[in-house]
Amino acid sequence: MLGSLKGLATTFVQFFRPVVTAQYPKEHLPMAPRWMGFPVLTWDKQVSEPYCTGCMVCIRYCPTECMSATMKDNPLYTEGKSKRRKIVDEFEINYGRCIVCGICVDVCNFDAIEMSHEHELSAFARNDNRADLNRLLQLGQEYQESTNWLP
């Protein structure tokens, strides 16, 4: 009998607590600033090129092998406008395979890849979970602007 009264008292107390749920597509709860979303590429605004040099360190350390990249010679380096000899030519991340571990961010020597706050990247088709270089840079620039990111 005493256990039933304790349970009823707990229910009664919880009934008057404020609601912490949100009706998802319409309302969003605030994200913690240290929350890790999907990885994105950052953009160097001073030189107008990506920070990524295509060194492939992140690709080698990725446990799920969800990334691929190629590099090319930097045309701005030959003109003397940039200090990067190589830049990324193609970069792709398969978000369907990514486990959001953050290893790619830890091993990057150039601050070229960051864990964004983006988490709503669902798609109906399986191949729609792939993000190419342009999409990664777009997501990265949105992340940089929203968090005032500095290298």
Side-chain angles (χ1 to χ4, degrees):
M1 178 75 176
L2 186 61
S4 297
L5 291 175
K6 285 183 180 179
L8 188 58
T10 302
T11 304
F12 189 71
V13 168
Q14 292 296 325
F15 182 74
F16 291 106
R17 292 185 76 189
V19 178
V20 294
T21 58
Q23 299 299 319
Y24 172 61
K26 299 174 186 168
E27 301 174 24
H28 296 274
L29 294 175
M31 302 298 276
R34 293 184 57 178
W35 186 81
M36 291 190 331
F38 287 108
V40 295
L41 294 177
T42 55
W43 184 258
D44 189 357
K45 294 179 183 175
Q46 295 176 348
V47 189
S48 294
E49 67 185 13
Y51 280 105
C52 183
T53 61
C55 67
M56 313 229 187
V57 174
C58 57
I59 295 166
R60 283 180 276 173
Y61 280 92
C62 181
T64 60
E65 298 176 355
C66 65
M67 298 184 215
S68 63
T70 58
M71 70 171 88
K72 67 178 180 180
D73 292 330
N74 189 358
L76 295 177
Y77 179 76
T78 57
E79 298 172 8
K81 296 179 181 176
S82 175
K83 59 184 177 185
R84 296 178 190 91
R85 292 182 185 171
K86 303 277 186 178
I87 58 170
V88 66
D89 186 29
E90 296 175 10
F91 200 100
E92 182 180 85
I93 298 178
N94 185 349
Y95 285 141
R97 294 180 67 184
C98 181
I99 59 173
V100 194
C101 63
I103 294 174
C104 54
V105 177
D106 294 337
V107 298
C108 184
N109 297 322
F110 305 101
D111 288 331
I113 190 164
E114 286 290 325
M115 299 303 277
S116 70
H117 294 163
E118 188 65 46
H119 64 283
E120 296 180 358
L121 296 176
S122 60
F124 288 108
R126 181 174 285 185
N127 280 339
D128 288 346
N129 287 332
R130 296 178 181 266
D132 62 348
L133 180 64
N134 292 330
R135 178 77 174 134
L136 290 169
L137 289 172
Q138 175 190 2
L139 289 170
Q141 287 177 353
E142 291 171 6
Y143 171 73
Q144 285 175 280
E145 291 171 5
S146 67
T147 60
N148 296 324
W149 181 86
L150 295 172

